[in-house]
Amino acid sequence: MEKILIVGATGSTGKRIIEILNNSQSFEPMAMIRKEEQKTIFEDMEVKWVLADLEQEDFSGAMKGVKKVIFAAGSGGDTGEEKTTEVDEKGAIKIIDAAKKAKVKKFIMLSAMGADEPSSHPKLEHYLKAKAAADKHLEESGLNYTIIRPGRLSDDMGTGKVELAHKLEGAGEIPRDDVAFLLIMSLADPLVQNMTFEAIEGEEPIKSAMIELSRG
């Protein structure tokens, strides 16, 4: 089984990723946590965890035995610009560099729709600039990667159906459940290799949509 490091494991999307991977026959999730008291969440699920903080410098311990990384962390919408820069940009870049040093096979990034044009979204401009900087660093890192830029995240039940494109017309939303599945499906080596794409809820089943995008 491939060990998968989940960065942002305690977040809403991160927890969904852990739950799904924990029932997988191919992948073994490892939750990256910032505070030791968070370990009980994952010990109760019999999921391994590692203590590391995106605002620290050394992630070598977190990368031991890791084959692939899913970055699903975020500073949250209520934090200031400084925290956003520390987590969504600098933290992501440090994790990417650590993954490269550890020769990780694939890095999957949860980004955001609009990261390609931050100035078009004044209220989110700083956040989207941070995401864009992290995405660019990953694209230029030499790592195999997938970058997913979903629309607005909702807590609705997932439908398993999406609309995917390198660039979608207009905006939209998507349940966190479906974003978690997109991130997990991206772990498959042939799928969406070295691709950046946008995702909203739609009419096409996730698997076939990803296969079609990979062929394109």
Side-chain angles (χ1 to χ4, degrees), residues 180-197:
F181 270 107
L182 284 168
L183 291 161
I184 288 164
M185 287 287 292
S186 299
L187 291 168
D189 291 318
L191 283 179
V192 288
Q193 188 85 298
N194 297 327
M195 281 190 180
T196 300
F197 64 91

Side-chain angles (χ1 to χ4, degrees), residues 125-194:
E125 186 170 2
H126 184 81
Y127 168 75
L128 293 172
K129 279 182 175 177
K131 284 292 187 190
D135 292 355
K136 186 171 187 288
H137 191 77
L138 178 55
E139 288 169 339
E140 295 174 353
S141 68
L143 286 165
N144 290 327
Y145 71 87
T146 300
I147 298 169
I148 301 175
R149 292 175 170 168
R152 189 175 66 80
L153 301 179
S154 77
D155 292 316
D156 296 343
M157 189 174 290
T159 64
K161 294 185 177 181
V162 293
E163 182 181 350
L164 308 179
H166 296 292
K167 181 66 180 172
L168 288 166
E169 295 296 324
E173 63 177 35
I174 183 170
R176 291 179 188 275
D177 289 346
D178 292 334
V179 171
F181 270 107
L182 284 168
L183 291 161
I184 288 164
M185 287 287 292
S186 299
L187 291 168
D189 291 318
L191 283 179
V192 288
Q193 188 85 298
N194 297 327

Side-chain angles (χ1 to χ4, degrees), residues 32-200:
M32 186 173 124
I33 60 173
R34 190 164 54 88
K35 301 173 185 171
E36 195 157 344
E37 53 262 35
Q38 294 170 327
K39 70 182 182 181
T40 52
I41 303 167
F42 303 105
E43 286 179 345
D44 289 346
M45 297 167 67
E46 298 183 350
V47 168
K48 291 178 182 175
W49 55 272
V50 62
L51 195 63
D53 191 330
L54 283 172
E55 295 179 61
Q56 71 184 41
E57 294 302 323
D58 182 16
F59 294 100
S60 54
M63 291 294 167
K64 283 181 182 171
V66 170
K67 296 298 181 188
K68 293 172 183 173
V69 174
I70 295 178
F71 187 97
S75 58
D78 300 327
T79 53
E81 289 190 359
E82 188 177 337
K83 191 77 168 177
T84 298
T85 300
E86 283 300 316
V87 173
D88 295 278
E89 182 177 343
K90 292 181 180 177
I93 286 170
K94 285 186 282 190
I95 285 279
I96 292 163
D97 290 345
K100 184 175 182 179
K101 193 173 180 182
K103 296 182 169 57
V104 162
K105 287 168 61 181
K106 197 171 189 183
F107 195 109
I108 294 127
M109 174 72 82
L110 175 56
S111 183
M113 188 180 285
D116 60 332
E117 44 186 9
S119 59
S120 299
H121 307 270
K123 288 184 180 178
L124 293 171
E125 186 170 2
H126 184 81
Y127 168 75
L128 293 172
K129 279 182 175 177
K131 284 292 187 190
D135 292 355
K136 186 171 187 288
H137 191 77
L138 178 55
E139 288 169 339
E140 295 174 353
S141 68
L143 286 165
N144 290 327
Y145 71 87
T146 300
I147 298 169
I148 301 175
R149 292 175 170 168
R152 189 175 66 80
L153 301 179
S154 77
D155 292 316
D156 296 343
M157 189 174 290
T159 64
K161 294 185 177 181
V162 293
E163 182 181 350
L164 308 179
H166 296 292
K167 181 66 180 172
L168 288 166
E169 295 296 324
E173 63 177 35
I174 183 170
R176 291 179 188 275
D177 289 346
D178 292 334
V179 171
F181 270 107
L182 284 168
L183 291 161
I184 288 164
M185 287 287 292
S186 299
L187 291 168
D189 291 318
L191 283 179
V192 288
Q193 188 85 298
N194 297 327
M195 281 190 180
T196 300
F197 64 91
E198 297 180 342
I200 55 174

Side-chain angles (χ1 to χ4, degrees), residues 193-213:
Q193 188 85 298
N194 297 327
M195 281 190 180
T196 300
F197 64 91
E198 297 180 342
I200 55 174
E201 59 187 3
E203 299 299 323
E204 191 168 5
I206 286 174
K207 187 174 180 179
S208 60
M210 291 188 78
I211 290 169
E212 191 177 316
L213 189 69

